[in-house]
Amino acid sequence: MPSKLFRNARIHTLTGEARPAAALLAVDGEIVAIGDDAELRDLAAPGTIEVDLGGLAVVPGFVDAHIHTALLAGERGQLDLRGAGSLDEALAAIRSHAAGLPAGRGIFWGSWDSNTWAEPVQPDRHSLDRVCPDRPVVLPSIDGHTVWANSFALAAAGITAATPDPVGGEIVRDARGEPTGILREEAQRPFDAIIGGPTVADLVEQLAVEQEHLLAVGLTGVHDIDGEDARAAYLELHRSGRLKLRVHKAIPAVHLDAAIAEGRYTGQGDDWFQTGPVKLFSDGALGSHTSHMGEAFVGEAGNRGIEVIPYPQLRELVRKAAVAGIAVATHAIGDEANHLVLNAYAEIAELSRAAGLRHRIEHAQHIRWDDVPRFAELGVVPSLQPTHCTSDIALASTLLAGRNLANYAWRSLADSGAHVAFGSDAPVESPNPMYAVHAAVTREDAAGEPAGGWEPEQRVSVAEALAAHSAGSAYAAHRDHRQGVLAPGMLADFVALERDPFDVEPGELRDLRVVTTVVGGEVRFQR
């Protein structure tokens, strides 16, 4: 690969530089020098290719620390109920979508959110039956922690009034004990056999297309949270030379034993594809009212959420993974869930330090103040998604009113010494990193509400937000020696933005577009 000189730019290395550099020299996909145009031209070998960046601002490539790329790829062209403002609107959209499908074909996408409906009623199977009586319909909520199914699907899955609630899940029932069609957390599993999924070959092509969308928003790396089929697809893209961004691939909890038997460990791989942590679930989600809380949700006496993996089992899984050299990334949203996960990590702290494992808590949305410093003390990475905060303002303000918690507390976590990593949780939210940067800096939604930000004491600076979405994510993957900042010896992964994020008003950050994305010294996207 010939050397490349990227010049005529304002390069923010995020290494604490006093002023932006103007040029970057890369050889074999690695940065060898950063400085002025003239001095780097003198360093460049004969035949070096020059790339004029047009005076644009350059920042390290964004790395999404929590994204479901297979789900994101699969949902394109599927039913999307995000814009529905009521149950009637949702049903009309479902009827219209079904009309365009072959007879009997199931509908397994939806992303509905009854919390945002004009009347936030809980839907049921009877309403679905009216518009889709003769095909299986299993619609995941926007957070993926609840499904809304019709009678056809319930029957196909064998779910009846006699079906017991599984550990870590709930089949919502009516006054007669009959399933309503709403199933939460682990109660969704019987539908897996009905829904199925794409073949690995199909997923290879879907992810090949999806990576182009991700490169277009400035992502140079992802920590993918989807299943073993996504792993196989990415490995095939890598083998065939078609992989254009870097993948840190999580292990599903159900595959932990098999992964250990195969000899997998976190960090195994190369600069393009690596084995990541095992993904566990401690609780559900705020939107589904299943996050595990220390107190019941306001207006829902007795509902403290769902403990998806009971604590004794969680402790066993955490230890099993760590002994095998596999880091753990545990989903925890409620304050009780975060507390329990930190306790489980504390029990293996010495083992983890000796093995160099960086465990994570995914989301870490609502934390007890006493638990905030424990992240840094235990070396646990809070893997956060800033747009969840700005999407959840109304919901969190209602369901958690009156309690003193650290909510989406990236400021407090960073100040305590924790290495904060940012991501999107796409397709729940958009994978656009600038949306996350805007949310982290302003604590305002896309419309600029509330003015000044929700719980504004948790805002961070532009530099901190950019770093959390690059260096922070790299640290979480134990890749901070190769990714996250722009310096000699690091991979030549960076993006050029249409305007300098350090010069615009905070409210404008969300709309900054990526002009150029470079991964491994190669231009992978150009607007």
Side-chain angles (χ1 to χ4, degrees):
M1 181 187 299
S3 61
K4 287 195 175 70
L5 175 62
F6 296 90
R7 52 172 296 278
N8 186 22
R10 289 173 50 81
I11 301 173
H12 299 285
T13 65
L14 299 190
T15 58
E17 80 280 8
R19 61 183 180 85
L24 179 155
L25 182 62
V27 177
D28 293 331
E30 185 176 294
I31 299 170
V32 296
I34 293 179
D36 296 332
D37 279 5
E39 64 178 316
L40 264 60
R41 272 199 174 116
D42 290 341
L43 286 175
T48 294
I49 297 172
E50 290 195 13
V51 180
D52 190 331
L53 293 174
L56 297 175
V58 167
V59 297
F62 295 109
V63 179
D64 193 315
H66 186 115
I67 185 171
H68 302 266
T69 57
L71 286 175
L72 186 63
E75 78 164 14
R76 292 190 181 277
Q78 302 289 344
L79 174 67
D80 187 350
L81 300 174
R82 287 178 175 89
S86 66
L87 174 60
D88 286 343
E89 287 185 17
L91 292 172
I94 295 165
R95 180 187 290 109
S96 175
H97 183 79
L101 298 177
R105 178 176 293 179
I107 304 175
F108 305 125
W109 301 85
S111 296
W112 55 278
D113 185 0
S114 61
N115 295 297
T116 65
W117 292 350
E119 289 186 53
V121 296
Q122 194 76 156
D124 61 26
R125 62 187 170 94
H126 303 297
S127 56
L128 268 184
D129 293 346
R130 290 197 298 272
V131 297
C132 285
D134 53 359
R135 68 179 78 228
V137 181
V138 183
L139 308 179
S141 61
I142 192 169
D143 59 26
H145 289 261
T146 297
V147 295
W148 172 20
N150 67 351
S151 296
F152 191 110
L154 288 168
I159 298 171
T160 69
T163 305
D165 286 352
V167 174
E170 178 191 12
I171 302 170
V172 178
R173 305 169 195 272
D174 63 21
R176 297 177 301 159
E178 295 289 338
T180 67
I182 294 294
L183 299 96
R184 307 191 193 285
E185 307 303 339
E186 291 302 296
Q188 305 176 40
R189 300 301 156 232
F191 293 121
D192 290 348
I194 300 171
I195 296 171
T199 66
V200 170
D202 288 339
L203 196 49
V204 168
E205 298 311 313
Q206 288 177 2
L207 289 174
V209 172
E210 190 58 41
Q211 69 178 343
E212 303 296 339
H213 296 289
L214 300 178
L215 290 164
V217 294
L219 286 170
T220 60
V222 294
H223 298 183
D224 182 79
I225 311 296
D226 283 326
E228 289 293 291
D229 53 353
R231 173 186 171 87
Y234 274 123
L235 284 171
E236 173 56 26
L237 286 172
H238 188 16
R239 185 200 64 77
S240 61
R242 298 169 65 194
L243 189 59
K244 298 180 182 180
L245 47 70
R246 306 187 194 279
V247 178
H248 190 68
K249 185 70 194 73
I251 301 167
V254 295
H255 203 81
L256 177 60
D257 288 339
I260 292 172
E262 293 166 19
R264 288 191 215 169
Y265 57 88
T266 298
Q268 180 183 37
D270 58 24
D271 282 336
W272 287 99
F273 182 93
Q274 280 198 332
T275 295
V278 62
K279 172 68 184 306
L280 306 180
F281 282 87
S282 178
D283 69 345
L286 188 67
S288 287
H289 302 209
T290 55
S291 51
H292 193 191
M293 309 300 300
E295 302 175 49
F297 295 110
V298 173
E300 299 181 22
N303 181 19
R304 294 176 52 225
I306 293 178
E307 187 177 14
V308 173
I309 299 179
Y311 183 63
Q313 183 184 355
L314 179 70
R315 292 170 60 206
E316 293 176 10
L317 290 171
V318 166
R319 181 170 293 277
K320 177 188 288 188
V323 167
I326 297 174
V328 183
T330 307
H331 168 115
I333 287 180
D335 63 304
E336 181 71 6
N338 278 278
H339 182 72
L340 292 174
V341 175
L342 288 168
N343 287 350
Y345 288 165
E347 292 188 16
I348 59 161
E350 187 174 337
L351 167 64
S352 301
R353 291 190 186 98
L357 296 176
R358 294 175 181 172
H359 303 305
R360 305 155 54 146
I361 292 184
E362 303 302 309
H363 311 305
Q365 286 184 189
H366 311 291
I367 310 169
R368 298 171 189 171
W369 286 105
D370 288 348
D371 281 334
V372 169
R374 297 179 70 199
F375 284 80
E377 291 166 4
L378 295 170
V380 174
V381 175
S383 173
L384 310 171
Q385 300 76 43
T387 48
H388 279 339
C389 170
T390 50
S391 294
D392 289 350
I393 290 172
L395 191 62
S397 299
T398 301
L399 291 181
L400 307 181
R403 60 198 70 186
N404 184 24
L405 296 174
N407 298 308
Y408 313 91
W410 39 78
R411 169 81 280 149
S412 294
L413 286 163
D415 287 347
S416 74
H419 290 270
V420 174
F422 280 172
S424 66
D425 201 16
V428 179
E429 306 281 0
S430 166
N432 190 328
M434 291 311 301
Y435 289 8
V437 171
H438 169 265
V441 171
T442 67
R443 307 274 291 195
E444 297 174 351
D445 64 17
E449 298 293 336
W454 184 68
E455 298 189 358
E457 66 277 6
Q458 294 295 342
R459 292 176 300 190
V460 296
S461 69
V462 172
E464 289 171 315
L466 292 170
H469 223 315
S470 52
S473 299
Y475 180 89
H478 225 306
R479 297 283 296 161
D480 45 315
H481 64 297
R482 296 291 280 163
Q483 295 170 268
V485 297
L486 301 177
M490 306 297 279
L491 295 168
D493 299 351
F494 57 88
V495 298
L497 299 166
E498 62 182 355
R499 288 185 291 164
D500 194 323
F502 292 93
D503 291 342
V504 302
E505 292 298 319
E508 298 176 297
L509 289 166
R510 181 181 173 89
D511 297 325
L512 289 193
R513 295 190 307 167
V514 170
V515 176
T516 304
T517 301
V518 175
V519 188
E522 294 289 327
V523 175
R524 309 288 180 171
F525 168 78
Q526 184 74 54
R527 192 173 298 282

